[in-house]
Amino acid sequence: MPPPKDIVKIAIQMPGAYPQLIQLDQKKPLSAVIKEVCDGWNLPSPENYALQYADGVQMYITESNRLDIKHGCILRLTKAPGRCAEDLFKGIKSSDASVRCNSLKELANVSRDATFAHEFITKDGHLSLVKIVEDSNENNLIMTHTLTAFMELMDHGIVSWENLSSVFIKKIACFVNAKVSDESIQQVSLDILESMVMSSHGLFVQVKHEVTMERLIAHLQVTNQQIQTKAMALLMALLQTAGDSDRQEMFAFLNKKNLRQYIYKNIILSSGLVQDEMAHYLYVLQSVTLNHLEDRMRMPLDCCNQEQRDILHTLRQAAFETDSENSLSHDRRRSLCAKEFRKLGFSNNSNPGQDLVRTPPGLLALDTMYYFATHYPDAYSRFVLENSSREDKHECPFARSSIQLTLILCEILRIGEPPTETGLDYHPIFFSQDKLMEELFCVCIQLLNKTWKEMRATQEDFDKVMQVVREQITRTLSSKPTSLELFKNKVNALNYSEILKLRQTERLHQEETLAPPVLELKERLKPELLELIRQQRLNRLCQGTMFRKISSRRRQDKLWYCRLSPNHKMLHFGDVEEDAESPAIETLQEKIPVADIKGLLTGKDCPHMKENKGKQNKEVMDLAFSITYDVEEYSLNFIAPSRTDFCLWTDGLSVLLGRDMSSESMRSELEILLSMEIKLRLLDLENVPIPDSAPVVPKPPSNYNFCYDFSQTEQ
């Protein structure tokens, strides 16, 4: 039978005595429990004793934490905190150096306990430690124990750091600034100075005045990783606590001393695996440094600012080189500018500055575009001119893409977000590159253009392309490339087809990790959802689609319409005029019985692609499909208006032929429907009333003044 909740079975140890097994009554005062234990060993004066954990962190047991004691715990009978504090207080004042050393060593250990620390500080014991440091008459070992004990005591927050004397602060700074000093002393001293800086602005000013930045940078180059880490911690504390002017001054000095290169060579490349504590400080440095871009990111373009307007026109002139522009009339020049800004990809070509009003990314997008145009002029011109010559629907808009890409990079690099206390996500590439944001943009804008072509994207696919580019960047950065060149090679190797393969692999892995009941539910739902998709495809074929005939004589292409009969037994088709929207089925003169259809061909296997072999581009070939019918193998040849229509028709025809659907659209839609259905089935709907009919749609509002105008912004 288990003991009552208030009774805990524990063992109590004491050096030189057999352990006592007792049932601790949590309702009984702790002093009464200690008295019973002392009586068991015939020990007088139970008030001089206390209980503490024998294993792990040897904390004193108090009335406030006694409920944490679990069954089977091993406790130890030891000196009471007050008595221990008194003995150690006497020991550190001993004339015998070995007694002082041992007392300070023990003090450094027991000071981790808040109960002891309170007793020791009550006796002004911490002031004795301050005196030892100020006098500096002790050897290195005693000084190390003194500083360690002091740091442990101060960590409890019982005494304010601001009560420390300037003499003490100067002594600690001297330990850090010394070129030849004991490593243990330097390590604890760096720790103490970091806590001072983080505690108040007044101490920040004193520490910044006393500690030389050269010595901090020198500490980053030593082989001792603990000193490297503590020096980095102090440096980050100084940067985070500094005001704007102090921070700019420190950054200027650190950039002059090539701090990032020091870190890159002496910590990232030489250390191999960076420990978590150092990784956090590297993350903080990266965050604090990149956040200087926040002002530009949150500042919209001012259309009245001549300098900003000049940069916009520089972008235009660098792309199109209009030398004869000045000879044009005002209206002709204005019309030319609007045309060229449209080719550059601005939505508002008459006033392109309006595209940069949205914040973020604000002026930072203008900065990145200008950096690309001026530092990589050939790549910039190639991007703009290449897309200017494409068909309108397939051109990749440089300005619109640049604005959105800058926003994506700001989000990935967390520009404008304060560093978190536990963050570890630093990018080694940051420390190898002075202008990380700008250089990343230059690589990624060319990647975006490459991905746009790989996806054969149109303006309607803009958001989808940006989503893929974001994934390419985040996946590559997660591999921690150590240089811009390595990032460039990796991100360009991660093309669109690779992204699709990775997504598929991860989806399959996710399915494998699902619980068996969920997998079973998924398999049960599939047939029902596939039937839903089949019906949707057949309904879409019944609505019909307008197709374009590709003429071999370079005449204007003719249009024709094809649709499935409502009973799914006939395909009706015929020529139509361009302005025809959805011709009635009776007006389509030609028809093919579905029962006569023998096969479905796609791509290069289609007869009309074989006839024009070598003349059709890949885009047209990917949209081509044919049906063969009758015994003489006649064919009806199609060129779908879009990839979506291609998938709908090939799926629908497969259903008519009794085959499985195989398009990427079907797989994507099935995955979405499965995910939604499973989530709905797994919802906890207990006591939630489900209506039998859909809720009534409310009346439209009297006005739409609350709507936000997205016409000039990208979401």
Side-chain angles (χ1 to χ4, degrees):
M1 185 174 177
K5 289 184 178 181
D6 296 326
I7 302 297
V8 184
K9 292 183 176 182
I10 60 171
I12 301 179
Q13 297 176 340
M14 188 182 77
Y18 288 108
Q20 294 186 39
L21 300 177
I22 70 167
Q23 291 192 359
L24 174 62
D25 186 351
Q26 293 285 29
K27 291 183 178 179
K28 187 181 292 187
L30 196 57
S31 57
V33 174
I34 293 172
K35 185 178 185 309
E36 288 179 5
V37 173
C38 288
D39 290 344
W41 280 316
N42 298 318
L43 295 174
S45 307
E47 66 275 6
N48 289 331
Y49 293 93
L51 294 173
Q52 66 179 181
Y53 289 102
D55 301 319
V57 181
Q58 297 171 356
M59 303 286 290
Y60 278 103
I61 305 299
T62 63
E63 292 290 355
S64 60
N65 66 17
R66 62 183 295 176
L67 293 178
D68 296 333
I69 300 173
K70 307 297 182 187
H71 287 290
C73 273
I74 302 175
L75 305 183
R76 180 173 60 197
L77 189 68
T78 186
K79 290 181 187 177
R83 181 183 162 197
C84 184
E86 189 174 340
D87 290 347
L88 290 177
F89 187 74
K90 291 176 181 176
I92 64 176
K93 291 182 173 296
S94 172
S95 57
D96 188 330
S98 63
V99 173
R100 292 200 304 277
C101 185
N102 290 332
S103 297
L104 287 163
K105 182 180 180 181
E106 186 180 350
L107 178 63
N109 184 47
V110 297
S111 292
R112 298 172 188 168
D113 185 274
T115 307
F116 170 84
H118 186 272
E119 292 288 344
F120 191 77
I121 289 172
T122 301
K123 300 179 185 301
D124 289 335
H126 64 295
L127 298 180
S128 299
L129 301 181
V130 170
K131 185 74 166 56
I132 293 172
V133 174
E134 290 177 348
D135 293 343
S136 295
N137 295 325
E138 300 289 3
N139 60 44
N140 289 342
L141 183 58
I142 289 180
M143 188 57 71
T144 300
H145 292 325
T146 302
L147 293 172
T148 305
F150 176 80
M151 187 67 205
E152 294 290 351
L153 289 169
M154 295 299 290
D155 267 351
H156 295 291
I158 300 169
V159 181
S160 171
W161 286 94
E162 294 185 72
N163 294 335
L164 297 171
S165 67
S166 59
V167 175
F168 178 83
I169 296 171
K170 287 181 179 180
K171 285 291 183 182
I172 300 295
C174 284
F175 293 142
V176 171
N177 291 332
K179 292 185 178 180
V180 180
S181 180
D182 182 87
E183 289 185 345
S184 298
I185 291 177
Q186 286 192 329
Q187 188 176 316
V188 187
S189 297
L190 287 164
D191 228 353
I192 292 171
L193 290 177
E194 181 203 357
S195 295
M196 287 183 186
V197 169
M198 298 298 286
S199 66
S200 78
H201 182 71
L203 287 173
F204 158 79
V205 173
Q206 290 187 63
V207 173
K208 180 177 177 292
H209 178 72
E210 296 294 339
V211 177
T212 60
M213 300 298 284
E214 288 90 343
R215 288 306 301 153
L216 282 182
I217 294 175
H219 286 315
L220 295 176
Q221 301 173 61
V222 301
T223 56
N224 186 317
Q225 289 192 6
Q226 284 297 318
I227 288 184
Q228 279 186 339
T229 303
K230 299 301 181 185
M232 194 72 180
L234 176 55
L235 186 58
M236 292 306 98
L238 288 165
L239 284 171
Q240 286 182 278
T241 312
D244 289 341
S245 59
D246 283 330
R247 189 180 292 118
Q248 289 176 6
E249 177 191 333
M250 292 167 71
F251 270 131
F253 179 83
L254 295 173
N255 288 334
K256 185 178 178 182
K257 292 293 182 180
N258 296 321
L259 172 66
R260 278 197 262 180
Q261 283 74 13
Y262 276 131
I263 293 172
Y264 185 67
K265 291 177 182 177
N266 296 292
I267 296 177
I268 294 175
L269 293 184
S270 65
S271 300
L273 180 64
V274 176
Q275 299 299 316
D276 281 357
E277 191 176 0
M278 176 59 82
H280 172 68
Y281 296 127
L282 295 178
Y283 151 78
V284 172
L285 177 59
Q286 171 187 291
S287 179
V288 173
T289 306
L290 287 174
N291 276 352
H292 79 281
L293 298 171
E294 183 180 4
D295 289 345
R296 300 290 288 177
M297 181 183 76
R298 304 216 181 273
M299 187 182 299
L301 184 137
D302 181 1
C303 295
C304 298
N305 186 301
Q306 188 60 44
E307 181 183 356
Q308 295 170 13
R309 292 169 61 189
D310 288 345
I311 292 175
L312 282 171
H313 283 285
T314 300
L315 290 173
R316 179 182 61 81
Q317 291 164 350
F320 301 109
E321 298 181 358
T322 49
D323 295 332
S324 59
E325 186 179 303
N326 293 330
S327 62
L328 300 175
S329 66
H330 175 74
D331 290 343
R332 288 286 305 277
R333 185 170 181 271
R334 186 169 182 174
S335 174
L336 176 65
C337 289
K339 182 180 178 182
E340 290 178 344
F341 276 126
R342 184 188 63 77
K343 287 183 177 180
L344 262 179
F346 284 96
S347 302
N348 191 327
N349 50 32
S350 60
N351 185 8
Q354 288 297 317
D355 287 25
L356 294 159
V357 169
R358 180 176 59 125
T359 60
L363 285 178
L364 189 56
L366 182 64
D367 296 341
T368 52
M369 285 191 282
Y370 183 70
Y371 186 92
F372 180 50
T374 53
H375 286 74
Y376 300 92
D378 292 341
Y380 171 68
S381 298
R382 187 163 56 250
F383 186 114
V384 176
L385 296 177
E386 178 184 303
N387 285 286
S388 298
S389 61
R390 289 185 194 169
E391 296 179 39
D392 284 349
K393 66 176 183 176
H394 286 290
E395 65 182 7
C396 177
F398 172 74
R400 183 185 179 193
S401 300
S402 297
I403 293 167
Q404 193 66 14
L405 177 61
T406 304
L407 178 61
I408 287 173
L409 289 174
C410 286
E411 291 171 354
I412 291 173
L413 298 174
R414 295 187 176 90
I415 295 173
E417 295 181 23
T420 63
E421 294 181 3
T422 56
L424 301 172
D425 188 21
Y426 74 95
H427 301 295
I429 190 175
F430 165 78
F431 298 93
S432 68
Q433 197 67 44
D434 283 338
K435 290 187 175 291
L436 177 65
M437 179 67 181
E438 293 85 347
E439 291 293 341
L440 271 184
F441 173 86
C442 294
V443 172
C444 295
I445 192 67
Q446 296 175 78
L447 167 74
L448 191 154
N449 190 38
K450 172 174 167 284
T451 303
W452 186 280
K453 289 186 285 187
E454 289 170 354
M455 295 176 66
R456 297 184 292 278
T458 65
Q459 296 289 332
E460 295 175 355
D461 301 315
F462 182 82
D463 291 337
K464 187 187 294 185
V465 175
M466 298 311 299
Q467 187 178 5
V468 172
V469 170
R470 177 192 287 271
E471 191 171 341
Q472 289 171 314
I473 297 169
T474 51
R475 284 183 183 274
T476 305
L477 285 176
S478 67
S479 69
K480 302 289 184 185
T482 53
S483 67
L484 187 69
E485 191 62 30
L486 193 56
F487 171 82
K488 184 177 179 181
N489 293 338
K490 285 189 173 185
V491 81
N492 280 298
L494 194 61
N495 54 36
Y496 179 53
S497 61
E498 286 297 316
I499 289 290
L500 292 178
K501 288 177 187 175
L502 287 168
R503 287 177 177 177
Q504 179 67 12
T505 303
E506 289 167 359
R507 188 158 47 241
L508 291 173
H509 177 71
Q510 188 178 12
E511 288 179 2
E512 289 171 2
T513 57
L514 289 174
V518 177
L519 286 173
E520 184 181 341
L521 175 61
K522 197 169 186 178
E523 290 304 314
R524 283 172 51 195
L525 291 171
K526 264 187 183 179
E528 179 186 340
L529 296 177
L530 279 170
E531 182 58 31
L532 185 67
I533 296 173
R534 287 190 196 99
Q535 291 303 318
Q536 187 270 341
R537 296 300 195 255
L538 292 175
N539 290 339
R540 185 66 181 80
L541 265 59
C542 290
Q543 292 175 15
T545 302
M546 187 178 292
F547 296 93
R548 190 176 293 275
K549 291 182 180 178
I550 296 183
S551 172
S552 59
R553 299 185 180 181
R554 298 192 176 184
R555 293 181 298 184
Q556 187 173 5
D557 295 344
K558 292 184 178 180
L559 301 174
W560 63 288
Y561 204 88
C562 185
R563 68 192 302 174
L564 180 67
S565 63
N567 62 6
H568 302 167
K569 291 186 177 181
M570 287 285 180
L571 269 181
H572 297 261
F573 61 97
D575 293 345
V576 293
E577 296 299 325
E578 190 158 3
D579 55 355
E581 290 185 3
S582 180
I585 200 165
E586 298 80 15
T587 63
L588 302 175
Q589 301 300 319
E590 306 287 338
K591 59 184 177 180
I592 299 172
V594 170
D596 289 349
I597 299 176
K598 304 299 181 185
L600 172 65
L601 304 173
T602 60
K604 62 183 180 181
D605 296 328
C606 297
H608 58 316
M609 292 295 105
K610 291 179 178 178
E611 291 169 7
N612 298 289
K613 191 174 182 181
K615 296 180 182 180
Q616 303 298 347
N617 60 37
K618 190 175 186 302
E619 181 183 347
V620 172
M621 192 172 290
D622 287 344
L623 298 175
F625 63 97
S626 302
I627 55 172
T628 57
Y629 59 96
D630 254 349
V631 291
E632 298 181 15
E633 293 292 322
Y634 291 111
S635 65
L636 183 63
N637 303 317
F638 300 75
I639 301 291
S642 67
R643 189 68 187 173
T644 301
D645 288 301
F646 174 87
C647 293
L648 289 169
W649 272 85
T650 53
D651 282 345
L653 291 168
S654 294
V655 173
L656 291 174
L657 293 171
R659 301 176 185 174
D660 291 336
M661 299 177 290
S662 59
S663 74
E664 64 264 27
S665 290
M666 181 279 297
R667 290 193 295 271
S668 174
E669 289 167 22
L670 178 61
E671 192 62 38
I672 291 169
L673 290 170
L674 276 171
S675 176
M676 289 173 59
E677 192 67 26
I678 287 172
K679 287 174 182 174
L680 285 171
R681 298 287 181 100
L682 296 179
L683 277 177
D684 183 8
L685 297 178
E686 188 177 353
N687 299 324
V688 177
I690 309 264
D692 295 326
S693 58
V696 178
V697 178
K699 292 181 180 179
S702 57
N703 64 68
Y704 294 89
N705 296 336
F706 57 87
C707 290
Y708 183 76
D709 182 10
F710 285 97
S711 60
Q712 298 299 328
T713 62
E714 282 300 329
Q715 294 301 318

